Amino acid sequence: MASNAYIIANKRTVSSHPHRQPHLPLLLLLFSLLFIGKFDLVSALNYTKYTRKVSNLRLQRIQKHLEKINKPAVITIESPDGDIIDCVHKRKQPALDHPLLKKHKIQRVAPEMPKVKTLKRDEGSGDSKRKEGEDLIWQMWHRNGTRCPKGTVPIRRSTTRDVLRAKSLFHFGKKQSTTINPTRRADAPDVVSSNGHEHAIAYTGTSQEVYGAKGTINVWDPSIQEVNEFSLSQIWILSGSFDGPDLNSIEAGWQVSPELYGDSRPRLFTYWTSDSYQATGCYNLLCAGFVQTNSRIAIGAAISPVSQYDANQYDITILIWKDPKLGNWWMGFGDNNLVGYWPAELFTHLADHATMVEWGGEVVNSRANGKHTSTEMGSGHFAEDGFGKSSYFRNLELVDADNSLSSVHDISTLAENTNCYNIKNSYNNEWGTYFYYGGPGNNPQCP
């Protein structure tokens, strides 16, 4: 299995289209929020209703919150796509503001990496694997050429406009809490369509103890119909009650979320919750919790390049596992790059182990104008279209109690509406357990 951050599927040229957004001082930015209606536009999405008149009191509350999560930077890097990346000292990052982490000391000893239980053949030919040592750009801000100094971590700066696109200050950076589906089987994953979320996922059973999971995820830039919709592809690490208020979840992957980021680019993201998405947790570093240790990977930053239809294919490898010594849940990216960890203190059920893992795609279907959304999942093509056309997850693996990685063999799949988005899984020696998934959303069979 090739564990590089990106896999080049063929040699056709990949074109990238960085968009540059203006960076304004805070006072000018606030002025523009009051009087300019189409400041945010980077695509066909209509952001106008999200740039409305705002009271001074609300702006003050927003500014106070931003001062809390935007920590003082040692240096600042401007990305070609308009993102501002602040290089913040590790000990000043937002995570340590969490009340449960006041006495937490950042883990300096590297966690024990999961052992590979079974040797696998090298994947693919020279045409499907990145050349050794090739420095492929994989986050947009890297194009600037500047790196964060040792001892600092890169944090994407949040802006007033980011907050104003959210439903409220409380909802900024948070997933909406899910509603309970009374017809859900006890062994089925925590996905319901009644709250406007639709999925195409593979998942494990609930009878086993799980200590981590791994997968390689094909990266695309699916089209989003409405600003408050998103499309993501991720891994879920779960424990607790799906039908109660105590579900623990650790999540990572890529997502396109115009509401959260103000554009339609795929971005690396993380999420966590210890109370079924009610009050705890958030995306990325938008609240205290996740402790970042890597100085080169910015969570929430745009991924570049991305896959193109019937041309170059790119994917990212994500590993989430529990350090057997200290109990923290670590995230690895690409070729054994440690990104950071979720401290064990944040969780209840996951303080011990996980009981279910899910891999797959999720979209929000807001049914604007009474029709199913045309927001795409994955590449926007159904699973049957296959490689280069449909998005995939490959080399699905689990970490067991002995901290060993092994290929997943017994998985189930679920898609609420296969006329809108679907999933097809299989197995071979190179990709292990894998699946194609996704779809276009609205179409004649998905009205």
Side-chain angles (χ1 to χ4, degrees):
M1 171 179 172
S3 55
N4 297 309
Y6 276 97
I7 307 298
I8 301 178
N10 56 49
K11 297 297 183 180
R12 299 185 190 179
T13 302
V14 174
S15 61
S16 57
H17 303 280
H19 298 270
R20 190 177 185 85
Q21 293 178 321
H23 172 55
L24 297 175
L26 180 59
L27 290 178
L28 183 55
L29 173 59
L30 297 182
F31 179 86
S32 68
L33 285 167
L34 296 175
F35 298 105
I36 299 177
K38 296 186 179 180
F39 188 86
D40 270 287
L41 289 178
V42 294
S43 71
L45 287 168
N46 181 12
Y47 288 82
T48 304
K49 65 180 178 180
Y50 296 91
T51 51
R52 54 194 178 275
K53 288 188 177 182
V54 184
S55 69
N56 288 333
L57 179 60
R58 189 179 183 201
L59 286 176
Q60 289 172 9
R61 289 173 177 167
I62 291 173
Q63 183 59 26
K64 184 177 181 180
H65 183 73
L66 291 175
E67 289 172 355
K68 185 177 180 180
I69 63 174
N70 289 331
K71 300 300 184 180
V74 175
I75 67 169
T76 293
I77 300 170
E78 185 171 355
S79 174
D81 61 0
D83 278 1
I84 300 299
I85 305 297
D86 290 325
C87 302
V88 176
H89 196 283
K90 284 182 181 179
R91 291 194 294 271
K92 301 293 185 181
Q93 62 181 296
L96 302 181
D97 291 338
H98 197 287
L100 295 176
L101 302 179
K102 290 298 183 183
K103 297 182 180 180
H104 182 85
K105 292 184 179 180
I106 295 178
Q107 183 174 337
R108 294 186 176 183
V109 179
E112 181 183 338
M113 298 294 294
K115 302 175 290 290
V116 178
K117 182 174 288 187
T118 55
L119 294 175
K120 298 189 292 294
R121 284 172 39 189
D122 183 63
E123 294 175 38
S125 64
D127 286 340
S128 63
K129 188 168 65 174
R130 177 161 68 99
K131 293 180 180 179
E132 192 69 29
E134 182 180 356
D135 187 18
L136 185 65
I137 294 172
W138 48 265
Q139 282 200 310
M140 190 76 78
W141 69 281
H142 291 168
R143 298 187 182 196
N144 179 288
T146 307
R147 295 290 184 265
C148 284
K150 185 177 180 180
T152 68
V153 293
I155 301 178
R156 180 183 182 271
R157 185 186 299 176
S158 297
T159 68
T160 303
R161 286 180 294 151
D162 291 337
V163 179
L164 288 177
R165 285 190 302 271
K167 184 178 179 180
S168 69
L169 181 57
F170 172 80
H171 291 93
F172 173 61
K174 295 179 180 293
K175 286 188 176 183
Q176 301 297 310
S177 59
T178 59
T179 56
I180 303 301
N181 181 1
T183 64
R184 187 187 61 78
R185 302 195 323 270
D187 62 341
D190 181 39
V191 297
V192 293
S193 56
S194 59
N195 63 354
H197 290 233
E198 297 188 21
H199 309 77
I201 62 169
Y203 62 97
T204 65
T206 57
S207 60
Q208 60 188 125
E209 295 184 0
V210 180
Y211 294 84
K214 189 175 184 179
T216 296
I217 313 172
N218 198 194
V219 181
W220 293 79
D221 55 349
S223 173
I224 311 296
Q225 179 180 315
E226 301 291 331
V227 173
N228 63 348
E229 296 180 339
F230 65 65
S231 180
L232 58 76
S233 297
Q234 67 168 70
I235 299 173
W236 289 261
I237 307 289
L238 300 161
S239 189
S241 172
F242 291 138
D243 293 336
D246 63 339
L247 180 70
N248 289 200
S249 182
I250 291 174
E251 307 168 21
W254 63 261
Q255 69 178 160
V256 176
S257 176
E259 179 179 289
L260 189 58
Y261 305 106
D263 64 22
S264 299
R265 299 181 182 90
R267 294 170 177 270
L268 177 68
F269 83 95
T270 61
Y271 199 90
W272 71 274
T273 181
S274 61
D275 64 354
S276 299
Y277 306 96
Q278 295 179 95
T280 63
C282 62
Y283 281 112
N284 309 332
L285 305 182
L286 296 178
C287 69
F290 184 85
V291 178
Q292 180 151 346
T293 59
N294 193 294
S295 64
R296 291 200 60 185
I297 298 171
I299 301 173
I303 298 172
S304 179
V306 299
S307 302
Q308 294 185 338
Y309 184 83
D310 204 21
N312 292 47
Q313 298 300 298
Y314 298 90
D315 52 31
I316 58 175
T317 297
I318 290 178
L319 166 65
I320 302 171
W321 85 104
K322 188 179 183 185
D323 181 1
K325 293 183 179 180
L326 296 180
N328 299 320
W329 286 88
W330 277 82
M331 175 181 171
F333 182 85
D335 192 11
N336 296 328
N337 295 300
L338 297 176
V339 180
Y341 62 90
W342 294 269
E345 298 97 308
L346 297 175
F347 303 102
T348 52
H349 300 288
L350 281 176
D352 187 10
H353 61 268
T355 55
M356 178 179 280
V357 173
E358 301 170 9
W359 300 260
E362 177 182 1
V363 301
V364 172
N365 173 27
S366 63
R367 294 198 66 85
N369 304 318
K371 297 180 179 179
H372 191 286
T373 184
S374 59
T375 287
E376 298 172 338
M377 181 188 293
S379 68
H381 292 264
F382 287 113
E384 293 82 1
D385 290 355
F387 185 79
K389 299 172 183 178
S390 176
S391 187
Y392 61 80
F393 276 64
R394 63 180 176 86
N395 298 102
L396 309 187
E397 297 177 285
L398 292 176
V399 181
D400 62 18
D402 294 326
N403 200 34
S404 296
L405 267 172
S406 58
S407 182
V408 180
H409 291 288
D410 298 320
I411 60 169
S412 303
T413 59
L414 179 148
E416 294 98 337
N417 191 341
T418 55
N419 289 327
C420 306
Y421 315 103
N422 69 351
I423 179 170
K424 303 289 183 184
N425 65 297
S426 189
Y427 180 91
N428 64 36
N429 288 334
E430 293 181 1
W431 280 21
T433 298
Y434 68 94
F435 61 84
Y436 288 100
Y437 70 103
N442 182 266
N443 68 77
Q445 282 72 48
C446 174

